[in-house]
Amino acid sequence: QVQLVESGGDSVQAGGSLRLSCAASGYTYSSNCMGWFRQAPGKEREVVARLNTRNFWRAYPDSVKGRFTISRDNAKNTVYLQMNSLKPEDTAMYYCAAAPARTIGTCPAAIGEYNSWGQGTQVTVSS
């Protein structure tokens, strides 16, 4: 299994930017799908970015498309989430997750498909 540690969460003003990091260790070759999820108080956890680390396929929901970018530094075994033009509704705990290796080129959006999770990092955006 893969161990994941997130960092980079902070409190920022609306319109600001943050870059979250997710350091992976362990049997990282067992997974080729990485995702960033978020969960706000009283709401369900939702996916905000997905990345296939082998073919670099990416996907974002409409709520963050054009503002968030997921990327990976293979040398550092780290996945990033660059968040620009932040809005108060982006306030949430952000988690990175890894899914078991897949032979197809896309990555799942369903939370249940991911079997390794970090502890989360808090992002707070004030208006």
Side-chain angles (χ1 to χ4, degrees):
Q1 201 162 359
V2 179
Q3 290 78 49
L4 303 170
V5 179
E6 304 98 331
S7 61
D10 205 345
S11 297
V12 296
Q13 297 274 346
S17 297
L18 281 175
R19 188 177 80 159
L20 306 183
S21 300
C22 174
S25 61
Y27 191 43
T28 57
Y29 288 100
S30 65
S31 171
N32 64 329
C33 278
M34 299 296 295
W36 281 99
F37 295 78
R38 69 184 180 188
Q39 187 166 19
K43 295 189 176 181
E44 293 187 353
R45 192 170 297 191
E46 61 176 354
V47 64
V48 295
R50 292 173 280 158
L51 169 69
N52 185 309
T53 60
R54 294 179 185 171
N55 65 11
F56 295 97
W57 172 92
R58 294 176 174 83
Y60 308 91
D62 288 343
S63 59
V64 306
K65 195 174 294 183
R67 301 189 298 121
F68 289 13
T69 303
I70 187 171
S71 62
R72 174 177 171 133
D73 184 330
N74 286 333
K76 295 182 179 180
N77 262 349
T78 299
V79 175
Y80 303 98
L81 184 67
Q82 178 67 44
M83 306 186 295
N84 299 326
S85 303
L86 283 162
K87 305 175 181 180
E89 52 263 42
D90 295 318
T91 295
M93 185 71 79
Y94 283 72
Y95 301 88
C96 71
R102 300 159 57 95
T103 55
I104 62 176
T106 61
C107 291
I111 292 171
E113 298 287 337
Y114 292 79
N115 62 353
S116 296
W117 291 84
Q119 82 289 350
T121 187
Q122 178 68 38
V123 172
T124 303
V125 184
S126 57
S127 57

